[in-house]
C-alpha cells in the first residue's frame, strides 16, 4: 500500500491547515489514501479575502496571461495523467482506465478554456438613433464559489474553475470530502503553471465549508454540482443575497429502446450508460423503457452481459466495475434494490451482496425488470450500478414515461426510425438528447445542463460558460 498523502488547504497561494480527516480507498478500506484538513468559516473568510485582493490584478491581466497559465496547466496534467488518474481511481473507485481518461479530459478542458480566454467577444450594433454606436462586451465579475462533487473529482472542478479563471474571475473552491486528494492535485498543478497568489483558493472539509461559501457576502456567484436536497439549500442561501447561481442536481435518465432497434447495439448502449463508472454518473441510463416487441429479448441479452461484468479493485486491469465511493453509497444502492423488489420488480441480474478478497464498498451490478413507472426505483436517483426496465406498447407511451419524472438532464433513444429520432429530439423534456448513444458521455466544448429539477441557471461548459462567469455590459457612444 502507498503511504497516505497529507493534504492542505490552498489559501493565497500557500498550503495551510493540519490534516486529520481520512480519505479511504473504496477498493480496499484498509488503505488510507490521504489525510485532509477540516476547514470552516475562518478558512473560507481567509480564502475569500485573498481572492478579493487578487481579483483586480487577474481581471486586468492580458487574456494571453490567463491563457498561458491554463495551457501550461493542461500540458502538465496531461503529462501526469497516469499518476493523477491512479490517485483518482484509488480515492474515488473508478477503474484505472476511467481514472486516467477523466484526468485527460480535465487536461483538455484546461486547454480548451486557454483558447476561450482569447476568444471572449462582444458585438457592434447600430442604434435606433442616428450618430449613436452601441457595443457589448463581457467583463469578469468577481469571486466565485465552486462546490464540486466526488463522482468526477477532477473533471468537474476543472470545468468549473477553468472558465472562471479564463474570463478573469477569482475562485474559492470546496472539493467533495470523499475525494480531496484529487482536487488538491489539480489546484497544485494550476499553481505550478504560474497562477498568481489568491486567484484560486481551495478549502477542504464538509458541509460547514460549503455553507460558509454560500453565505459569504463577497462571493458573487455559486456554481454547485450535487444532490437536489443540498442544491435547494444552496439556492436559498445564494438567492437571499442575490448571488449568481448555477446548479446541476442529477438525473433519472431514460433510454428508450424501440422495436426496430438493433438488439446488440441497444444492449451495449444500455450496458455502457447504466453500469460503467459504477453507475455513479448524473447522466447514467437508470430507466430503460423498452417497447413490447423487443422487450423480452432485450432484457435477456442485457441481463447476460450484466451478470458477466467483473467487479473488483479499481487498479486491477481485469476490473470493469469498481466499488461505490463510500459505504453510504453502497448501502443506498442495496436499499433501492430492496425497495424495487418489494414493490414488484424482478431481479433479472445481480442484486446480491458481494464478498471479495479486498474489504471494499462493492455493489453487484443489478438489472430490475417488470417495473412500473410509478415505482420509487423509477423516480428517485440511486447513483449506483442499478437499472430498471419498463415495458411499453408504443413510442408515444415510451415518450410519456421518459418525460414523467421531475428530472430532465439527459434522455436517449435507440431506433432506426428517423421519424421517431427527430420527434424525440424535439419533445424529450431534457437538456441533452442522445440518438443511438448512451445517455452518459458528453463533450467538454458544448453546453451541459438539464431542465426541470436537474438544473438551474446558465449552462456549464463550452461557449455557454461565459454566460455565467462574465457580466455583459452594453455601451453607448455618440
Amino acid at each position: 500500500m502507498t503511504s497516505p498523502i497529507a493534504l492542505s488547504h490552498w489559501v493565497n497561494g500557500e498550503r495551510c491547515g493540519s490534516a486529520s480527516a481520512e480519505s479511504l480507498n473504496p477498493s480496499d478500506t484498509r488503505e488510507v489514501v490521504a489525510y485532509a484538513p477540516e476547514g470552516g468559516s475562518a478558512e473560507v473568510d481567509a480564502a475569500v479575502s485573498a481572492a478579493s485582493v487578487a481579483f483586480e490584478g487577474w481581471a486586468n491581466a492580458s487574456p494571453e496571461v490567463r491563457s498561458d497559465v491554463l495551457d501550461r496547466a493542461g500540458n502538465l496534467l496531461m503529462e501526469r495523467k497516469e499518476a493523477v488518474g491512479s490517485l483518482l481511481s484509488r480515492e474515488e473507485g473508478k477503474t484505472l482506465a476511467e481514472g486516467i481518461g477523466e484526468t485527460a479530459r480535465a487536461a483538455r478542458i484546461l486547454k480548451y478554456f486557454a483558447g476561450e480566454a482569447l476568444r471572449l467577444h462582444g458585438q457592434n450594433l447600430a442604434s435606433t438613433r442616428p450618430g449613436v454606436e452601441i457595443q457589448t462586451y463581457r467583463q469578469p465579475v468577481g469571486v466565485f464559489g465552486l462546490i464540486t462533487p466526488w463522482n468526477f473529482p477532477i473533471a468537474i472542478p476543472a470545468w468549473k474553475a477553468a472558465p472562471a479563471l479564463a474570463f478573469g474571475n477569482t475562485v474559492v473552491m470546496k472539493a467533495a470530502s470523499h475525494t480531496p486528494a484529487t482536487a488538491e492535485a489539480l489546484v497544485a498543478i494550476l499553481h505550478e503553471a504560474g497562477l498568481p497568489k489568491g486567484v484560486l483558493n481551495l478549502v477542504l472539509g464538509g458541509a460547514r465549508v460549503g455553507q460558509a461559501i454560500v453565505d459569504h457576502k463577497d462571493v458573487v456567484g455559486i456554481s454547485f454540482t450535487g444532490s437536489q436536497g443540498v442544491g435547494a439549500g444552496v439556492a436559498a442561501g445564494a438567492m437571499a443575497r442575490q448571488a449568481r447561481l448555477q446548479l446541476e442536481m442529477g438525473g433519472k435518465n431514460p433510454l428508450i429502446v424501440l422495436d426496430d432497434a438493433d438488439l446488440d447495439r441497444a444492449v451495449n448502449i444500455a450496458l455502457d450508460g447504466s453500469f460503467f463508472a459504477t453507475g455513479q454518473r448524473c447522466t447514467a441510463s437508470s430507466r430503460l423503457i423498452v417497447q413490447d416487441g423487443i422487450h423480452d429479448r432485450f432484457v435477456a441479452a442485457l441481463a447476460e452481459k450484466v451478470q458477466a461484468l467483473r467487479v473488483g479493485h479499481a487498479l486491477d486491469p481485469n476490473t470493469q466495475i469498481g466499488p461505490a465511493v463510500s459505504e453510504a453509497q453502497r448501502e443506498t444502492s442495496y436499499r433501492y434494490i430492496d425497495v424495487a423488489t418489494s414493490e414488484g420488480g424482478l431481479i433479472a441480474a445481480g442484486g446480491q451482496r458481494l464478498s471479495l478478497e479486498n474489504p471494499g464498498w462493492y455493489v453487484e451490478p443489478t438489472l430490475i425488470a417488470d417495473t412500473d413507472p410509478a415505482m420509487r426505483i423509477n423516480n428517485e436517483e440511486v447513483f449506483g450500478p442499478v437499472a430498471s426496465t419498463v415495458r411499453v406498447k408504443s413510442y408515444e407511451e415510451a415518450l410519456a414515461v421518459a418525460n414523467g419524472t421531475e428530472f430532465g438532464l439527459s434522455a436517449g433513444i435507440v431506433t432506426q426510425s428517423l421519424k421517431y429520432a427527430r420527434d424525440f429530439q424535439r419533445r424529450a423534456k431534457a437538456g441533452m438528447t442522445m440518438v443511438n448513444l448512451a445517455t452518459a458521455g458528453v463533450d467538454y466544448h458544448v453546453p451541459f445542463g438539464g431542465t426541470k429539477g436537474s438544473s438551474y441557471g446558465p449552462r456549464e461548459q463550452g461557449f455557454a460558460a461565459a454566460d455565467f462567469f462574465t457580466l455583459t455590459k452594453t455601451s453607448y457612444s455618440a
Side-chain angles (χ1 to χ4, degrees):
M1 294 184 183
T2 306
S3 298
I5 305 168
L7 303 177
S8 306
H9 307 301
W10 280 83
V11 177
N12 201 31
E14 304 292 337
R15 286 184 165 100
C16 58
S18 177
S20 58
E22 291 182 338
S23 174
L24 299 179
N25 182 343
S27 294
D28 187 341
T29 54
R30 297 169 298 186
E31 180 187 5
V32 178
V33 176
Y35 290 101
E38 285 280 359
S41 58
E43 288 79 9
V44 170
D45 284 344
V48 174
S49 176
S52 298
V53 170
F55 172 68
E56 184 174 354
W58 184 245
N60 292 326
S62 164
E64 193 170 56
V65 170
R66 301 195 292 267
S67 177
D68 287 349
V69 170
L70 290 172
D71 190 60
R72 281 194 296 269
N75 289 336
L76 288 170
L77 187 56
M78 190 65 79
E79 290 168 6
R80 300 171 193 174
K81 65 181 180 181
E82 285 82 8
V84 177
S86 177
L87 173 63
L88 189 161
S89 294
R90 287 173 54 226
E91 188 172 50
E92 196 271 351
K94 281 187 169 83
T95 65
L96 183 58
E98 291 169 337
I100 293 172
E102 182 184 333
T103 304
R105 177 190 176 99
R108 292 187 177 100
I109 289 167
L110 294 174
K111 292 178 72 64
Y112 171 83
F113 280 106
E116 289 297 277
L118 298 169
R119 286 190 286 267
L120 198 63
H121 61 269
Q123 295 177 306
N124 287 323
L125 299 160
S127 173
T128 58
R129 291 167 288 174
V132 175
E133 294 183 353
I134 305 171
Q135 294 84 36
T136 69
Y137 56 97
R138 293 181 180 270
Q139 291 182 314
V141 187
V143 180
F144 278 87
L146 311 181
I147 302 175
T148 65
W150 49 260
N151 64 320
F152 285 91
I154 197 164
I156 292 180
W159 89 42
K160 291 181 186 294
L165 299 173
F167 302 142
N169 303 287
T170 54
V171 167
V172 176
M173 181 188 296
K174 177 207 174 298
S177 55
H178 290 311
T179 52
T182 308
E184 205 249 13
L186 173 66
V187 172
I189 283 174
L190 279 159
H191 281 91
E192 183 181 343
L195 203 64
K197 289 184 176 182
V199 171
L200 173 61
N201 305 272
L202 173 70
V203 181
L204 300 174
R208 290 187 307 154
V209 175
Q211 193 64 57
I213 291 173
V214 169
D215 292 341
H216 204 291
K217 64 180 179 60
D218 294 327
V219 174
V220 300
I222 307 291
S223 180
F224 165 86
T225 298
S227 69
Q228 280 189 324
V230 177
V234 171
M239 290 177 181
R241 57 184 189 81
Q242 298 181 320
R244 291 181 171 220
L245 185 60
Q246 182 183 66
L247 304 177
E248 294 295 344
M249 298 174 291
K252 193 66 187 175
N253 307 294
L255 178 70
I256 294 173
V257 180
L258 295 185
D259 283 347
D260 70 348
D262 178 283
L263 179 63
D264 290 341
R265 186 175 188 180
V267 167
N268 287 326
I269 287 171
L271 189 75
D272 178 357
S274 301
F275 298 101
F276 287 108
T278 319
Q280 295 177 151
R281 298 184 282 190
C282 56
T283 52
S285 311
S286 52
R287 293 185 295 143
L288 307 175
I289 302 164
V290 189
Q291 198 171 358
D292 194 58
I294 199 174
H295 178 274
D296 292 349
R297 290 180 294 135
F298 173 84
V299 170
L302 180 58
E304 183 178 353
K305 285 187 174 287
V306 171
Q307 202 68 56
L309 290 170
R310 295 187 298 273
V311 179
H313 195 294
L315 300 187
D316 184 336
N318 294 316
T319 293
Q320 294 174 289
I321 305 293
V325 73
S326 66
E327 183 178 17
Q329 203 62 41
R330 178 190 66 184
E331 293 309 306
T332 294
S333 291
Y334 281 116
R335 185 171 67 253
Y336 274 104
I337 292 168
D338 291 342
V339 168
T341 55
S342 71
E343 291 183 342
L346 301 177
I347 300 293
Q352 301 300 310
R353 292 270 177 175
L354 292 177
S355 180
L356 304 183
E357 181 180 352
N358 297 318
W361 294 311
Y362 298 102
V363 178
E364 186 173 39
T366 301
L367 179 65
I368 304 169
D370 294 332
T371 69
D372 184 273
M375 289 180 178
R376 287 179 62 191
I377 193 67
N378 290 317
N379 291 278
E380 299 173 17
E381 191 173 33
V382 178
F383 225 64
V386 180
S388 54
T389 68
V390 176
R391 186 193 299 262
V392 294
K393 293 180 180 179
S394 66
Y395 166 73
E396 287 296 334
E397 183 184 359
L399 183 64
V401 172
N403 288 337
T405 73
E406 63 182 82
F407 292 99
L409 183 55
S410 182
I413 189 170
V414 187
T415 181
Q416 297 183 62
S417 166
L418 181 61
K419 169 188 172 183
Y420 289 135
R422 293 298 188 217
D423 185 79
F424 175 79
Q425 288 176 318
R426 290 192 299 269
R427 295 171 62 199
K429 294 179 180 178
M432 299 177 288
T433 59
M434 312 289 182
V435 176
N436 295 322
L437 292 166
T439 58
V442 295
D443 290 354
Y444 56 83
H445 66 300
V446 295
F448 175 93
T451 185
K452 297 192 286 186
S454 288
S455 301
Y456 181 87
R459 291 289 190 252
E460 294 194 272
Q461 296 203 75
F463 56 84
D467 292 336
F468 182 65
F469 288 111
T470 64
L471 171 69
T472 297
K473 181 171 284 187
T474 304
S475 178
Y476 295 84
S477 60

